[in-house]
Amino acid sequence: LGPAAGLFDFRVNKDISVVLGCGLGGTSLVNANVGLRPEPRIFEDPVWPEAFRSDAALLDDSFQHAEAVLQPQPVPDSYAPLAKMRAHEKSAQAMGAKWYRTPLYVTFEKPANGVNAFGVPQDACIGCGDCVSGCNFHAKNTTLMNYLPDAANWGAEIFTEVSVRYLQRAGDGWLVFYQPIGVGREKFNAPDLFVRADIVILGAGTLGSTEILLRSAERGLSLSQKVGHNFSRSEE
């Protein structure tokens, strides 16, 4: 229902329903931008790949790289007290639990020259609370504001309103099949278009990457039989 390129993508299913962000920047456009590191005990669960559990130094280094780009920081004292923050503090006190201001991927002070380290115009947060519905003030540190423009700065070409359908091997390279969105090709059952690539890095999110891989497997791409499994522990 609605436009295929609308900001919110709702996947409603019997067992799991998911809200995704549809746009350049993905779900970072509509998440709550909380920048907490997972507690170490999380990666003690054997459900994680061995590489995540056996090399804490590498994991820590990776988090540091991400934090250097996304710049998490707590709401400063200069901002008016937030009702939600006060409620969390009161709840923590009632439980005798530790409370602190969580780091957020938000810019609270406008850069001196008006642009961030990646050359993107950025403003300071005005405290409107619209992080999850999409920041309209260029204050939220979504991937649209850092990783993606940085890739473009280094020569990457970015195409929007394109839906990747599946991947196919082509000798030593790949064919990436896609359909443009909103141009009416689906009305005529038009064949998928494709581009050739030597290397493909699939980063379409938990659901997006999985559905592309499953469609690719249906067309003969050899993949693990575990693709699409273990979205939650309830499957065990």
Side-chain angles (χ1 to χ4, degrees):
L1 300 177
L7 178 60
F8 290 96
D9 184 2
F10 296 89
R11 306 293 181 91
V12 180
N13 298 282
K14 179 181 178 181
D15 297 317
I16 301 176
S17 294
V18 184
V19 178
L20 310 171
C22 178
L24 186 60
T27 300
S28 74
L29 300 172
V30 298
N31 66 12
N33 45 270
V34 176
L36 282 175
R37 290 194 187 192
E39 295 181 6
R41 64 179 177 83
I42 298 297
F43 292 106
E44 294 173 2
D45 192 322
V47 73
W48 289 98
E50 174 64 24
F52 281 84
R53 294 182 282 118
S54 62
D55 196 340
L58 178 60
L59 195 60
D60 180 71
D61 183 62
S62 299
F63 278 126
Q64 289 185 44
H65 280 295
E67 289 166 350
V69 172
L70 298 173
Q71 295 291 307
Q73 54 186 314
V75 177
D77 293 332
S78 58
Y79 276 64
L82 303 177
K84 186 173 183 179
M85 184 185 299
R86 291 199 302 267
H88 282 168
E89 184 177 14
K90 184 177 180 180
S91 177
Q93 290 173 347
M95 295 186 295
K98 178 183 178 181
W99 178 87
Y100 59 96
R101 299 186 182 197
T102 55
L104 306 174
Y105 296 125
V106 173
T107 294
F108 292 104
E109 185 175 341
K110 185 173 182 176
N113 59 356
V115 298
N116 64 21
F118 306 97
V120 180
Q122 191 147 20
D123 290 318
C125 172
I126 66 168
C128 68
D130 288 342
C131 304
V132 177
S133 57
C135 178
N136 291 306
F137 298 96
H138 311 291
K140 186 177 174 183
N141 299 339
T142 65
T143 58
L144 174 65
M145 305 296 287
N146 37 67
Y147 279 109
L148 293 172
D150 190 44
N153 292 339
W154 286 93
E157 296 181 73
I158 298 175
F159 303 92
T160 59
E161 298 191 11
V162 171
S163 175
V164 174
R165 307 306 301 159
Y166 62 97
L167 311 175
Q168 200 172 75
R169 268 293 191 184
D172 293 333
W174 295 88
L175 297 179
V176 180
F177 290 85
Y178 69 94
Q179 281 285 357
I181 294 174
V183 297
R185 286 173 56 86
E186 66 279 358
K187 296 179 182 178
F188 306 99
N189 197 29
D192 294 325
L193 305 175
F194 67 87
V195 294
R196 295 181 182 272
D198 294 328
I199 299 173
V200 173
I201 299 173
L202 189 57
T206 302
L207 296 188
S209 294
T210 302
E211 67 179 50
I212 292 170
L213 288 174
L214 290 175
R215 286 196 294 266
S216 303
E218 288 179 347
R219 290 167 173 81
L221 184 63
S222 179
L223 294 172
S224 167
Q225 294 299 308
K226 287 295 185 179
V227 174
H229 290 262
N230 294 329
F231 274 81
S232 72
R233 297 305 296 273
S234 62
E235 291 189 27
E236 296 182 355

